[in-house]
Short mmCIF file of all heavy atoms in Angstrom, two decimals:
data_model
loop_
_atom_site.label_atom_id
_atom_site.label_comp_id
_atom_site.label_asym_id
_atom_site.label_seq_id
_atom_site.Cartn_x
_atom_site.Cartn_y
_atom_site.Cartn_z
N GLU A 106 199.32 142.05 29.91
CA GLU A 106 198.87 141.83 31.29
C GLU A 106 197.37 142.07 31.42
O GLU A 106 196.65 141.27 31.99
CB GLU A 106 199.61 142.77 32.23
CG GLU A 106 201.06 142.37 32.41
CD GLU A 106 201.91 143.54 32.80
OE1 GLU A 106 201.34 144.58 33.16
OE2 GLU A 106 203.15 143.43 32.74
N ARG A 109 195.29 139.46 29.81
CA ARG A 109 195.30 138.26 30.64
C ARG A 109 194.39 138.44 31.85
O ARG A 109 193.60 137.57 32.17
CB ARG A 109 196.72 138.01 31.15
CG ARG A 109 197.52 137.10 30.27
CD ARG A 109 198.84 136.73 30.94
NE ARG A 109 199.50 135.66 30.19
CZ ARG A 109 199.11 134.41 30.25
NH1 ARG A 109 198.09 134.08 31.01
NH2 ARG A 109 199.74 133.48 29.56
N ALA A 110 194.52 139.61 32.44
CA ALA A 110 193.80 139.80 33.69
C ALA A 110 192.30 139.94 33.46
O ALA A 110 191.49 139.43 34.22
CB ALA A 110 194.34 141.02 34.42
N GLU A 111 191.94 140.63 32.38
CA GLU A 111 190.54 140.97 32.26
C GLU A 111 189.75 140.02 31.39
O GLU A 111 188.60 139.72 31.69
CB GLU A 111 190.41 142.38 31.68
CG GLU A 111 191.06 143.42 32.58
CD GLU A 111 190.48 144.78 32.33
OE1 GLU A 111 189.57 144.89 31.50
OE2 GLU A 111 190.96 145.75 32.95
N GLY A 113 190.61 136.86 29.51
CA GLY A 113 190.68 135.40 29.29
C GLY A 113 189.82 134.61 30.25
O GLY A 113 189.43 135.08 31.32
N TYR A 114 189.53 133.46 29.83
CA TYR A 114 188.81 132.52 30.69
C TYR A 114 189.69 132.18 31.88
O TYR A 114 189.23 132.05 32.99
CB TYR A 114 188.51 131.27 29.86
CG TYR A 114 187.66 130.25 30.56
CD1 TYR A 114 186.27 130.32 30.48
CD2 TYR A 114 188.22 129.21 31.27
CE1 TYR A 114 185.48 129.38 31.10
CE2 TYR A 114 187.44 128.26 31.90
CZ TYR A 114 186.07 128.35 31.82
OH TYR A 114 185.29 127.42 32.44
N HIS A 115 190.97 132.12 31.62
CA HIS A 115 191.90 131.89 32.72
C HIS A 115 192.40 133.23 33.26
O HIS A 115 192.68 134.14 32.51
CB HIS A 115 193.08 131.05 32.25
CG HIS A 115 192.71 129.62 32.07
ND1 HIS A 115 191.71 129.23 31.21
CD2 HIS A 115 193.17 128.49 32.63
CE1 HIS A 115 191.58 127.92 31.25
NE2 HIS A 115 192.47 127.43 32.11
N HIS A 116 192.48 133.28 34.53
CA HIS A 116 192.85 134.54 35.16
C HIS A 116 194.30 134.88 34.94
O HIS A 116 194.66 136.02 34.69
CB HIS A 116 192.54 134.46 36.65
CG HIS A 116 192.81 135.72 37.40
ND1 HIS A 116 194.08 136.17 37.66
CD2 HIS A 116 191.98 136.64 37.94
CE1 HIS A 116 194.00 137.30 38.34
NE2 HIS A 116 192.74 137.61 38.52
N GLY A 117 195.15 133.89 35.07
CA GLY A 117 196.56 134.12 34.81
C GLY A 117 197.38 134.15 36.08
O GLY A 117 198.48 133.63 36.14
N ASN A 118 196.81 134.74 37.12
CA ASN A 118 197.57 134.80 38.37
C ASN A 118 196.60 134.88 39.56
O ASN A 118 196.74 135.72 40.43
CB ASN A 118 198.50 136.01 38.37
CG ASN A 118 199.60 135.84 39.39
OD1 ASN A 118 199.71 134.78 40.02
ND2 ASN A 118 200.39 136.86 39.58
N LEU A 119 195.66 133.99 39.52
CA LEU A 119 194.58 134.07 40.49
C LEU A 119 195.08 133.92 41.92
O LEU A 119 194.65 134.63 42.83
CB LEU A 119 193.52 133.02 40.19
CG LEU A 119 192.30 133.07 41.09
CD1 LEU A 119 191.71 134.46 41.14
CD2 LEU A 119 191.25 132.08 40.65
N LYS A 120 195.99 132.99 42.11
CA LYS A 120 196.46 132.74 43.48
C LYS A 120 196.96 134.02 44.13
O LYS A 120 196.56 134.38 45.23
CB LYS A 120 197.57 131.68 43.48
CG LYS A 120 198.00 131.27 44.86
CD LYS A 120 198.76 129.95 44.85
CE LYS A 120 199.00 129.46 46.26
NZ LYS A 120 199.52 128.08 46.31
N ALA A 122 196.39 137.07 43.15
CA ALA A 122 195.30 138.05 43.23
C ALA A 122 194.45 137.78 44.47
O ALA A 122 194.04 138.71 45.17
CB ALA A 122 194.45 138.00 41.98
N ALA A 148 188.52 139.45 42.97
CA ALA A 148 189.44 139.03 41.92
C ALA A 148 188.69 138.79 40.62
O ALA A 148 189.30 138.47 39.59
CB ALA A 148 190.18 137.77 42.34
N GLY A 149 187.40 138.93 40.66
CA GLY A 149 186.61 138.81 39.44
C GLY A 149 186.38 137.38 38.98
O GLY A 149 186.21 137.12 37.79
N VAL A 150 186.36 136.46 39.90
CA VAL A 150 186.10 135.06 39.52
C VAL A 150 184.92 134.54 40.34
O VAL A 150 184.45 135.19 41.26
CB VAL A 150 187.33 134.18 39.77
CG1 VAL A 150 188.48 134.61 38.88
CG2 VAL A 150 187.74 134.22 41.23
P DT D 176 196.79 125.52 37.64
OP1 DT D 176 197.79 126.59 37.53
OP2 DT D 176 196.57 124.80 38.90
"O5'" DT D 176 195.39 126.14 37.19
"C5'" DT D 176 195.36 126.95 36.05
"C4'" DT D 176 193.95 127.28 35.69
"O4'" DT D 176 193.23 126.08 35.35
"C3'" DT D 176 193.14 127.94 36.82
"O3'" DT D 176 192.63 129.15 36.33
"C2'" DT D 176 192.03 126.94 37.09
"C1'" DT D 176 191.91 126.26 35.75
N1 DT D 176 191.24 124.94 35.72
C2 DT D 176 190.20 124.76 34.85
O2 DT D 176 189.81 125.63 34.09
N3 DT D 176 189.64 123.50 34.87
C4 DT D 176 190.00 122.45 35.69
O4 DT D 176 189.42 121.38 35.61
C5 DT D 176 191.10 122.70 36.59
C7 DT D 176 191.58 121.63 37.50
C6 DT D 176 191.65 123.93 36.56
P DG D 177 192.08 130.25 37.38
OP1 DG D 177 192.56 131.55 36.92
OP2 DG D 177 192.39 129.78 38.73
"O5'" DG D 177 190.49 130.15 37.20
"C5'" DG D 177 189.87 130.98 36.27
"C4'" DG D 177 188.64 130.32 35.68
"O4'" DG D 177 188.84 128.91 35.59
"C3'" DG D 177 187.36 130.45 36.51
"O3'" DG D 177 186.59 131.58 36.14
"C2'" DG D 177 186.59 129.19 36.18
"C1'" DG D 177 187.57 128.30 35.46
N9 DG D 177 187.59 126.98 36.07
C8 DG D 177 188.49 126.48 36.99
N7 DG D 177 188.25 125.24 37.34
C5 DG D 177 187.11 124.90 36.61
C6 DG D 177 186.38 123.67 36.57
O6 DG D 177 186.60 122.62 37.19
N1 DG D 177 185.29 123.76 35.70
C2 DG D 177 184.97 124.87 34.95
N2 DG D 177 183.90 124.75 34.17
N3 DG D 177 185.65 126.00 34.97
C4 DG D 177 186.70 125.95 35.82
#
Side-chain angles (χ1 to χ4, degrees):
Chain A
E106 288 155 13
R109 268 188 170 284
E111 299 203 3
Y114 185 88
H115 285 58
H116 183 289
N118 199 6
L119 184 52
K120 186 163 188 170
V150 296

